[in-house]
């Protein structure tokens, strides 16, 4: 069961990576890095159970905190600088 | 299963690295380098180096992403395409340097070699005596905090100095001459419109 979960998480990671590479707008990329942090956390938790060392679960929890803080900081940074304003006419932004 | 996961994560890491190389969108590059750090952290967990993975996630994915974003805010976001006239010479230099490095590793003892000096004396001593000498049950912790205490102290100094330098560089752009920075960035966006 843990092996199936690990494979599913790896496939999700690959899909998120494709979206992060292709992502036409900035929102795709922010979501990609946020989701990738979540998937890394889940992978660490699953790996802990695969190896029979479930104490990795604590580390996965701390990862969740770091990921949350990083995403909030990116969004806050986004709000206070003027790179959020598109320089061309596209309302989705040009980045 | 672990070997399969190793291969998959390494493939994902190389895909990310090549897209970082090919991309001209600097915000995308920052995000991709954050993803690369998270992949590296997962890989370190696979190698059972959880402390290294933790440092990689907090420094690589957390702090350095923010520092690069702050740098992007005071510079501009597109990299101009560079034309390298003669790519043969750099490739030759890289290949020769790589061959010299590989040649240098031939003299090193094999991985896990029982006759290697580090496996004969040091590891045995650490395993047998570090608990009694230092009083810390974790061998890695006692090596880092006591046997290599001055080394760790020096690393802390280096990181502290680097943090002061980065904060000085980034802080000046923000608080110093705001009007000038705005003027430069608006000039750059005008240049990009063409």
């Amino acid at each position: 069961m843990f092996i199936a979960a690990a494979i599913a998480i790896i496939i999700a990671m690959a899909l998120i990576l494709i979206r992060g590479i292709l992502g036409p707008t900035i929102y795709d990329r922010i979501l990609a890095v946020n989701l990738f942090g979540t998937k890394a956390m889940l992978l660490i938790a699953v790996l802990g159970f695969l190896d029979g060392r479930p104490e990795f679960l604590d580390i996965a929890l701390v990862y969740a905190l770091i990921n949350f803080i990083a995403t909030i900081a990116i969004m806050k940074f986004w709000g206070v600088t003027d790179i959020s304003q598109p320089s061309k006419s596209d309302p989705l932004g040009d980045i | 299963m672990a070997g399969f996961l190793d291969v998959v994560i390494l493939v994902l890491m190389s895909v990310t690295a090549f897209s970082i190389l090919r991309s001209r969108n600097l915000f995308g590059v920052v995000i991709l380098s954050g993803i690369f750090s998270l992949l590296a952290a997962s890989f370190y967990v696979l190698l059972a180096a959880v402390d290294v993975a933790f440092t990689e996630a907090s420094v690589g994915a957390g702090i350095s992403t923010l520092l690069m974003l702050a740098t992007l805010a005071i510079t501009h976001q597109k990299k101009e395409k560079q034309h390298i006239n003669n790519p043969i010479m750099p490739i030759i230099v890289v290949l020769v340097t790589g061959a010299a490095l590989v040649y240098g590793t031939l003299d090193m003892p094999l991985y896990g070699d029982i006759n290697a000096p580090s496996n004969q004396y040091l590891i045995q001593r650490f395993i047998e005596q570090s608990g009694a000498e230092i009083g810390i049950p974790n061998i890695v912790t006692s090596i880092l905090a006591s046997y290599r205490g001055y080394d760790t102290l020096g690393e802390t100094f280096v990181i502290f100095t680097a943090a002061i330098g980065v904060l000085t560089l980034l802080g000046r752009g923000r608080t110093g001459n705001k009007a000038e920075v705005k003027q430069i960035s608006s000039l750059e966006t005008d240049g990009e419109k063409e």
Side-chain angles (χ1 to χ4, degrees):
Chain A
M1 188 180 70
F2 289 125
I3 291 177
I7 291 173
I9 291 170
I10 287 282
I11 292 173
M13 274 179 154
L15 293 175
I16 294 165
L17 187 59
I18 290 172
R19 185 41 65 198
I21 292 170
L22 294 180
T25 65
I26 204 150
Y27 310 108
D28 293 318
R29 294 203 158 101
I30 292 177
L31 260 182
V33 72
N34 187 17
L35 275 178
F36 210 91
T38 313
K39 292 296 170 291
M41 180 188 88
L42 290 176
L43 186 67
I44 288 166
V46 170
L47 281 180
F49 284 103
L50 263 181
D51 284 353
R53 297 169 70 184
E55 62 263 27
F56 283 8
L57 211 54
D58 295 347
I59 290 141
L61 284 178
V62 182
Y63 268 54
L65 289 176
I66 288 177
N67 188 30
F68 175 72
I69 290 171
T71 308
I72 291 292
I74 289 176
M75 302 303 275
K76 188 169 173 60
F77 172 79
W78 203 247
V80 298
T81 57
D82 50 1
I83 58 170
S84 58
Q85 301 297 323
S87 65
K88 290 169 191 157
S89 56
D90 185 359
L92 280 178
D94 53 348
I95 300 175
Chain B
M1 181 61 198
F4 168 73
L5 276 180
D6 283 354
V7 172
V8 172
I9 286 188
L10 283 177
V11 165
L12 287 181
M13 279 172 83
S14 33
V15 168
T16 317
F18 275 108
S19 15
I20 289 175
L21 277 180
R22 299 299 299 171
S23 177
R24 300 285 153 207
N25 177 349
L26 291 185
F27 181 79
V29 167
V30 171
I31 293 298
L32 281 177
S33 63
I35 289 179
F36 186 86
S37 291
L38 286 169
L39 275 172
S42 314
F43 189 61
Y44 291 142
V45 172
L46 271 179
L47 296 177
V50 187
D51 49 341
V52 186
F54 189 69
T55 313
E56 177 70 38
S58 56
V59 174
I63 302 293
S64 63
T65 306
L66 288 182
L67 287 178
M68 284 197 268
L69 275 178
T71 314
L72 274 190
I74 56 179
T75 58
H76 63 138
Q77 299 142 30
K78 291 252 165 93
K79 186 182 177 209
E80 285 165 21
K81 188 152 184 145
Q82 289 179 340
H83 296 282
I84 300 172
N85 291 327
N86 189 4
I88 310 231
M89 195 60 202
I91 284 180
I92 290 176
V93 171
V94 166
L95 285 181
V96 167
T97 314
L101 289 175
V102 170
Y103 176 72
T105 60
L106 292 181
D107 280 344
M108 287 167 63
L110 288 174
Y111 180 72
D113 187 5
I114 199 164
N115 293 319
S118 64
N119 287 350
Q120 275 193 325
Y121 309 108
L122 269 180
I123 288 185
Q124 203 178 357
R125 186 198 153 107
F126 283 148
I127 290 174
E128 284 172 356
Q129 297 182 16
S130 74
E133 278 183 353
I134 312 296
I136 302 174
N138 190 324
I139 298 173
V140 177
T141 308
S142 66
I143 290 176
L144 275 181
S146 180
Y147 291 109
R148 292 187 193 161
Y150 286 116
D151 185 49
T152 308
L153 185 67
E155 283 173 11
T156 316
F157 280 146
V158 168
I159 292 174
F160 184 63
T161 316
I164 290 177
V166 168
L167 285 179
T168 314
L169 281 174
L170 287 179
R172 196 190 294 160
R174 279 282 170 74
T175 57
N177 202 337
K178 234 176 206 173
E180 195 186 350
V181 170
K182 278 233 162 128
Q183 200 183 3
I184 291 173
S185 63
S186 69
L187 279 180
E188 279 167 355
T189 44
D190 288 343
E192 269 176 40
K193 278 180 190 171
E194 290 180 306

